[in-house]
Amino acid sequence: MSDIPHNSPTIKGMYIEGSWTPAARTFDDLNPSDNTLYARIPDCTAADVQRAVDAAQAAFPAWSALAHHTRAHYLHKIADVWERRGADFAAAAVAEGGGWFGKGMFEAGYVAEVFRSAAALCYMNTGEVLPSEHGKFMTATRWPLGVVSVISPWNMPGILTSRGFAAALAAGNTVVLKPSEDTPYSGGLYFAEILEEAGIPAGVFNVVTCSRESVGAVGDAMIENPRVKAVSFTGSTAVGRHIAAKAGAHLKKACVELGGKDSMIVLEDADIDAAARAANFGSFMHQGQVCMSTEKLLVHEKVYDEFMQKFLTRAAKLRTGHTNDKNNVIGPLVNNRQALRVKALIDDAVAKGATVLLGGKSWDNFVEPTVLADVNESMDIWHDETFGPVVIVRRFSTDEEAIALNNDTEYGLTAAVWTRDEARALRMAGHLETGICHVNCQNINDEPHVPFGGVKASGVGRYGGRWSLDSFTELRWITLDRGGRHFPPVF
Ligand code: NAD
């Protein structure tokens, strides 16, 4: 009898050139709520990547030559199929990724919009006509690159995978996707099922999957292959640095969206009830495993006690446990490695004098929502991305101090500022070293058509809207001479 649960998906293989193909080996994909087997996944090699890249290259001329509206229609079809199967995605994200049911449903809804906004891009790939000293007709136009390698993370396997490739397809590129080894189905093979059903031509979209042990060789093959023209990566800063450096060495484009250590700043004139509610979501949604999670709460000393009382009361109500139970809003961390890392950060802080205001307990892959005060720069948790259900709190007394505390990190993804004075908030936003700043909201915000991305160690490049065309097209200067160009008579 199979040891794979009856509600697990049938894994048909990797998806290369429109066919499902097995790999020589498989690896185990676990449900992090109880470490039971969820699925057996193909563990590919560099040779499989080569086949996928070859297939994508072969499909490129026809896909890039399609009329823009035909590609848009394909993207709408993907959105429609995705929407119809939304419940399947949510179930997979819960069991494979350890997310709360509500988070899975939210992702399922969002991804359809990623494809619809990518369809809109097909109509927006416009060029410019430039003036010429020589009377030429000169254009600057965007051209597809060719094969794009996409490497995605596990924390939002639907949103971050779709965001990684939808605009690339819209611009006329073809794709080889490698999802995270923690969500190889919901972040990879599930997409192959959807795009196959939507009738995307063979080779335009390929999915290879591999284990953490194989990812070094597989990742290198996805970047170094000369037919690959660009890399689209979302994940940790450590891996992103490696990928951007390798892409740079091969003179390839790389859009890398990386980690964060994001602050929410609560000024003394804020709506404290609303701020406390937002902070609870920003800190603990999906166990804090979001690149934009609120990891530092910076609270003005005049409202610190009132804010903390309201925030802790709300956070204390969040239930932690197996994602089978929809009342458990806080599920497990994605794997044991992550759980141990988060526990170590809490232990280091407490050993150096931090006070646990809430939570602090952990078991198996679970960590309770945890709030730490009396934190300082000597603690690892002040600097390192926690990526867990843990938030640190600091008081401040001036706007300048809050700005300095926010900026005291290598990261720069998002910031949030709470105040009733919008002019003051905008002044502060100008000094916060982040790619994104939200006033009177928490940090976790994204929409498919906005320029999403960080500064400093949080990444290079932007996903979303027309800005993603910078990542997935080449801007070319093409001229028509109409007899105006003169040369020295000696020639
Ligand atoms: P990770 O960097 O460990 O893995 C990301 C992807 O890279 C996975 O597919 C993994 O298999 C692959 N990978 C690992 N080593 C590789 C190598 N040597 N070559 C090629 N590929 C390799 O990150 P993760 O744990 O999956 O995700 C969590 C991290 O992602 C956090 O740091 C989080 O902040 C970040 N993140 C950033 C954003 C953003 O938009 N800025 C969004 C979500 C997550």
Side-chain angles (χ1 to χ4, degrees), residues 89-435:
F89 172 80
V94 167
E96 185 185 44
W100 169 52
F101 168 79
K103 178 254 185 194
M105 289 308 290
F106 165 74
E107 259 199 285
Y110 190 107
V111 169
E113 289 308 308
V114 171
F115 289 114
R116 293 201 173 108
S117 72
L121 277 184
C122 297
Y123 299 85
M124 290 166 64
N125 197 355
T126 53
E128 290 180 48
V129 177
L130 310 176
S132 165
E133 291 176 25
H134 307 292
K136 291 173 188 252
F137 182 77
M138 305 208 302
T139 61
T141 46
R142 293 184 178 281
W143 294 73
L145 302 167
V147 180
V148 175
S149 281
V150 179
I151 300 176
S152 65
W154 48 263
N155 59 327
M156 292 276 171
I159 294 174
L160 298 176
T161 299
S162 57
R163 188 185 76 172
F165 77 82
L169 286 186
N173 304 287
T174 53
V175 165
V176 176
L177 162 70
K178 190 209 74 63
S180 166
E181 56 282 358
D182 283 308
T183 48
Y185 180 66
S186 53
L189 299 172
Y190 182 82
F191 279 93
E193 291 176 12
I194 300 287
L195 269 73
E196 180 183 48
E197 191 175 335
I200 302 304
V204 168
F205 179 74
N206 307 274
V207 182
V208 294
T209 48
C210 77
S211 65
R212 193 82 190 179
E213 289 68 44
S214 309
V215 79
V218 167
D220 286 355
M222 290 184 71
I223 301 165
E224 289 169 353
N225 188 312
R227 291 178 146 184
V228 170
K229 296 297 185 293
V231 184
S232 165
F233 175 83
T234 304
S236 64
T237 292
V239 176
R241 250 187 238 284
H242 164 80
I243 284 177
K246 198 165 263 293
H250 290 267
L251 302 176
K252 295 180 183 183
K253 283 190 173 217
C255 184
V256 294
E257 291 294 348
L258 311 176
K261 188 80 194 174
D262 298 2
S263 309
M264 180 171 137
I265 299 169
V266 183
L267 298 170
E268 75 282 9
D269 62 347
D271 176 339
I272 300 299
D273 281 318
R277 180 156 188 243
N280 198 26
F281 176 87
S283 304
F284 301 122
M285 164 67 180
H286 196 37
Q287 298 83 266
Q289 300 173 121
V290 184
C291 53
M292 304 164 267
S293 289
T294 306
E295 296 220 350
K296 282 195 234 173
L297 275 173
L298 307 175
V299 187
H300 195 282
E301 59 187 5
K302 285 195 186 144
V303 291
Y304 183 88
D305 291 341
E306 181 191 355
F307 173 84
M308 288 308 292
Q309 186 265 325
K310 290 182 166 156
F311 171 59
L312 291 172
T313 304
R314 284 187 169 278
K317 292 184 185 147
L318 296 173
R319 271 184 44 181
T320 306
H322 200 301
T323 51
N324 278 348
D325 181 345
K326 289 182 183 168
N327 294 316
N328 290 328
V329 176
I330 308 295
L333 297 193
V334 75
N335 58 38
N336 198 244
R337 188 164 46 90
Q338 286 291 118
L340 291 175
R341 214 179 52 76
V342 172
K343 288 173 201 169
L345 284 170
I346 297 174
D347 291 347
D348 172 76
V350 170
K352 290 174 180 164
T355 305
V356 180
L357 298 182
L358 184 77
K361 282 212 286 295
S362 55
W363 64 97
D364 304 329
N365 292 339
F366 297 93
V367 177
E368 274 184 334
T370 297
V371 182
L372 300 177
D374 303 317
V375 287
N376 61 49
E377 291 74 352
S378 75
M379 301 169 184
D380 292 341
I381 204 164
W382 180 259
H383 305 282
D384 294 356
E385 182 183 41
T386 312
F387 226 59
V390 185
V391 65
I392 58 179
V393 198
R394 273 280 281 263
R395 294 169 204 258
F396 66 86
S397 53
T398 66
D399 292 4
E400 290 66 34
E401 193 185 348
I403 290 166
L405 290 168
N406 173 81
N407 292 347
D408 183 23
T409 167
E410 67 165 330
Y411 296 108
L413 190 53
T414 82
V417 181
W418 282 81
T419 171
R420 289 190 167 89
D421 181 347
E422 290 184 347
R424 183 181 178 191
L426 284 179
R427 236 179 2 256
M428 286 185 80
H431 295 284
L432 297 169
E433 295 169 353
T434 58

